[in-house]
Amino acid sequence: MFKRILIANRGECAIRVIRACNELGIESVAVYSEPDSHALHVKKADKAILIGPDPVKSYLNIHRIVDIALKAKCDAIHPGYGFLSENAEFAQAVLDAGITYIGPSPYAIENMGSKTNARTAMLAAGVPCIPGTEASLTGVEEAVATAQNMGYPVMLKASAGGGGRGIRRCDSDAEVVENYTLTTNEALTAFGNGDLFMEKCIVEPRHIEFQILADSHGNCVHLFERDCSIQRRNQKLIEIAPSNYISDELRSKMGDVAVKAAQAVGYVNAGTVEFLVDKNHDFFFMEMNTRLQVEHTITEAITGVDIVAQQISIAAGEKLPFKQEDLSFKGHAIEFRINAEDPQNNFYPTPGRITRYFSPGGPGIRVDGCVSAGYSIPPHYDSMCAKLTIWAPDWEHAVMRSQRALKEYDIRGVKTTLPFYRHIAASEVFMGGQFDTGFLENYPELLDYKPYDARENIAAAVAVAIAAHAGL
Ligand code: ADP
Ligand code: ADP
Ligand code: MG
């Protein structure tokens, strides 16, 4: 087993890995940018080393991070998610330095990281894919011709896309022409690669993904599915495991295909195979994420498997401790991504100082956060500041428990998605448990909630101060 692991990430993601290290008796080394000097991951790791002054470029500085790992005598690096987690060049640089990369091989990252490469590999392996182009489009003329051939609606997608960006639906030739330039530019800015491809748009789909784990001894299992259909602009907000939409039969069929997809590229470590499921319950491969996923916590909740600990054991060359038939799931889990954003102002990010923080507890509640009272959320990073994961024996109970936990959760000073989630969790459409990816667009009234009223807070604070002064 490893002696010391460097975590090339920040925020709740880095803290999650530090927690796994602590439980496995492995030393953790955090890295950070100057604006993150007071971040929680810096305090919680056994050792923390400054990468550099730049808030974002620091976490993308391959050379410097590998150098720090060598100097600190780390025998492995965990990339987390986001940042360098799907960068084959980084994985290769880690290996070249004689350090273990806690993740798949650079070959698997390269092959599955590009959506077009992944489609080619999956078609060859006989995995059902969303109908679409195999290679990148050569220009707008080819795009229009392809769309006409395929039939509208279609999706223009960036080959290198991620995080919901670089995806546009087109319903006509004119929209293909307009979106072609917009999507190319967006992809160039976000991913440094403007290549686009086209897929048939699956109407009213469910996003259902399978968690897989594969060791270096040829064993591969899946840990069932997560329903990530509740999204905004193709980005996940609330995730559920297991899905209320698929039957046991479909679950087992999709799980087998997910394992086959991973095996086709010789995949080792944790990964996620994402599918869209249409109204006829037909399913199509969409992409594979070759890393730990934000929403892995709901899978941990229903299966009892510590996915990060498994990632570390697999990287250390150990065999998976279970076979597919040993795995089962129990109850229902829901994850809410608590973002420092104002849903009523177009989800505009709201970095700033947290003045009060109280996280929920009690049965079935897990909080993975990186903020506390007095902490200032920096403006440079992803706006997710905590994840609330609920577990209960069944769906109805999970909804009730979510309502209870969201009510307990108190974050003041900055606007967050909490009041929005309270409103969603109490809505009949959510309780019904059936969603497609248009859920938020189809129910705009979900945005019509009463935001937290600052005056109530001031009145409460004054009352407390008066009581304290009076010695009550
Ligand atoms: P998940 O399915 O794990 O939630 P996401 O696509 O939401 O995956 O990405 C996880 C994290 O990584 C998010 O913080 C997201 O902003 C970031 N991320 C994902 N892909 C990219 C990318 N290509 N470039 C920059 N950040 C990304
Ligand atoms: P990312 O790498 O950004 O996660 P994905 O390819 O996984 O991109 O797509 C993200 C989301 O975009 C999906 O969950 C779905 O809501 C929507 N989407 C992507 N492709 C299609 C499609 N062909 N038809 C309908 N929706 C799609
Ligand atoms: Mg995706």
Side-chain angles (χ1 to χ4, degrees), residues 189-206:
T189 315
F191 319 114
N193 174 343
D195 288 353
L196 302 185
F197 70 109
M198 191 175 280
E199 270 177 6
K200 182 101 186 115
C201 175
I202 308 291
V203 181
E204 294 170 28
R206 267 81 182 168

Side-chain angles (χ1 to χ4, degrees), residues 141-155:
E141 293 80 19
E142 192 196 347
V144 172
T146 309
Q148 287 174 348
N149 229 338
M150 229 179 244
Y152 287 103
V154 299
M155 285 289 198

